[in-house]
Amino acid sequence: MDDNKIKTKLFRNSEIVDGRADTIFEDIKQLLAEKNLDGKKLAAVCTDGAAVMTGCRQGVVKKLREEFNSDLVGVHCTAHRLALVASDAARSVQQVKKFQQDLRSIFVFFSNSAVRSNRLHELQKQLDEPQLKFTQPHTVRWLSVHSAVSVVCRSLKSLRDVLEHMAASNTQDSDKAKGLLTSVRQFNFVALAHLMKDVLMHVSLLSKHFQKENLDFSTVQPMVEGTKETLRELMVYPGPAEEEFFSSLQGNKFKGDKLFEFNTQKTAFDGMKNRYVGSLIDEIDRRFPTDTMDILSWFTIFEPKKAIVAKQASENLSLYGAEKLENLFTHFSRSVNADGARSEFAMLKQIMVSSESHASFSFQQFAETVLHEHSGVFTEMEKLIKIALVIPVASVSCERGFSTQNRIKTKFRNSLSNTNLTNLMLISELGPPRDQFDFKRAVIKWKEMKQRRQRTGKE
């Protein structure tokens, strides 16, 4: 928090010699000391959920709690959890698992050869299809499977034709092309491509929401519940891509191309669809349980809409949020004076329900209103509100840092030291735009750093 505003900044890119919890903990400890930061003010840590980070005995979060702040909140990144939802659901249904394996094989087949890719693009051009590249579906890259499925749906005709041409040729590619062609001609492959385009579109929308900068935790559960409801509807009513697929079928042909195993696989399709979508919903329930978001769920008492609903249901607001407030006092007993906070919360509830316009406020919007318009009034509540504001619900900013690292440290710059790499990353992420950078001032400062020999025209 800086001037009652949330700011997200890169500190550094740490070079870890091994993946042990002790090593990571010592690096964080050293970083806090170098920056003169009080570890007791460390409010929360968001991780990808790996055991080395979240282990209850020797995990990094546990060590940080013991060393600095026993109130420290550990959060499993929502975007990583959603990626696990999608991958676990796909593995639970054999046909979907096979489909994703076929997707990866198609990507590898074309990405490993410029000749194959060029043939595909030429055919796409002739068929007036968009000239698209097949993308790699990856379980830990949140939007990659949806992107790969979308490309396949839009390029099915050219994909089949180029594989038929290669399978008929007497080249080293013919055997691989025959195997892929057998898969692509199956009813299940084409049907699943369209089904997953519909299903993963909604999962991708949720993932994009989780990738927002400074994500408001109060929006997480409503978005999750909305996604589950949409998936339930897809079990009853086909999505646009699935509907287009079935309406385009003429006998056992899809847009003129024969589909193999048609009768057997078509009969089993509805059951498979319900198992896959049902598995997605079950995995979401398992990884985003409505009643055990723990500390984050306790902070929802600061959402005005909930207080307004409680007032409409009963004139007495005294009991609203009482249990969750006591849970917060118990957890943050070192930071908050419970007696003073109870009185402040009674006043704060009246502000929440004082205007119907507050019903549209998210937690973050209401928190900013309290901090700016009532600064210094609710001293104990402000502590809780600030803690809630800085709890990172997703580790997306760190993932973007890795992307920045990979853009800078390429295979042509593999000898770049970690110090220089961190400096370049800081410039890339935090530096001003190029057109606003004062190059003249930078050159003057560079010259003043040490005595430099000036070259003459004769040298």
Side-chain angles (χ1 to χ4, degrees), residues 168-401:
S169 65
N170 292 320
T171 64
Q172 59 182 3
D173 295 336
S174 60
D175 289 338
K176 291 180 180 177
K178 286 176 184 176
L180 288 175
L181 182 61
T182 301
S183 297
V184 170
R185 282 174 166 171
Q186 299 286 314
F187 172 89
N188 270 351
F189 182 88
V190 183
L192 273 171
H194 289 81
L195 169 65
M196 292 187 72
K197 184 179 178 182
D198 289 329
V199 171
L200 295 180
M201 178 184 70
H202 300 291
V203 178
S204 295
L205 287 174
L206 184 58
S207 180
K208 287 177 181 177
H209 178 74
F210 289 161
Q211 294 177 50
K212 287 183 177 179
E213 189 76 20
N214 297 328
L215 174 65
D216 185 342
F217 74 84
S218 67
T219 65
V220 170
Q221 206 60 39
M223 287 292 293
V224 168
E225 292 303 314
T227 301
K228 288 196 300 183
E229 188 59 35
T230 305
L231 292 175
R232 290 190 188 100
E233 289 178 7
L234 286 177
M235 295 177 74
V236 181
Y237 306 105
E242 184 188 349
E243 191 171 6
E244 180 201 353
F245 167 69
F246 280 103
S247 64
S248 300
L249 286 176
Q250 293 180 334
N252 63 351
K253 292 184 177 181
F254 174 68
K255 295 184 177 179
D257 291 323
K258 182 180 178 181
L259 299 178
F260 291 85
E261 302 291 338
F262 183 86
N263 291 327
T264 305
Q265 295 180 358
K266 186 176 184 295
T267 303
F269 177 78
D270 284 340
M272 176 191 63
K273 169 188 170 180
N274 289 338
R275 286 199 311 276
Y276 172 56
V277 180
S279 179
L280 266 176
I281 295 170
D282 290 343
E283 287 296 326
I284 291 174
D285 282 333
R286 186 167 72 87
R287 295 190 180 273
F288 295 91
T290 54
D291 56 344
T292 56
M293 286 291 281
D294 298 326
I295 296 170
L296 290 180
S297 70
W298 302 339
F299 280 113
T300 58
I301 60 174
F302 297 115
E303 294 177 42
K305 183 178 180 179
K306 285 184 168 59
I308 291 171
V309 170
K311 183 183 178 183
Q312 291 171 346
S314 170
E315 290 296 324
N316 187 3
L317 270 178
S318 60
L319 297 179
Y320 170 73
E323 183 180 352
K324 290 181 178 179
L325 187 66
E326 292 303 319
N327 289 338
L328 288 172
F329 292 157
T330 302
H331 186 87
F332 297 104
S333 57
R334 289 158 50 97
S335 307
V336 180
N337 181 295
D339 292 333
R342 288 190 188 94
S343 300
E344 291 179 5
F345 185 59
M347 295 173 60
L348 196 62
K349 283 189 282 189
Q350 295 304 322
I351 294 177
M352 288 187 205
V353 301
S354 63
S355 172
E356 290 187 3
S357 63
H358 289 166
S360 62
F361 280 18
S362 66
F363 162 75
Q364 197 170 96
Q365 291 169 323
F366 181 71
E368 289 172 355
T369 300
V370 172
L371 293 176
H372 287 91
E373 297 182 9
H374 305 280
S375 179
V377 177
F378 304 101
T379 54
E380 297 303 317
M381 284 290 101
E382 280 187 16
K383 293 176 185 177
L384 284 176
I385 286 171
K386 287 180 178 180
I387 289 171
L389 282 172
V390 299
I391 292 176
V393 184
S395 59
V396 173
S397 54
C398 292
E399 298 296 333
R400 291 196 181 107

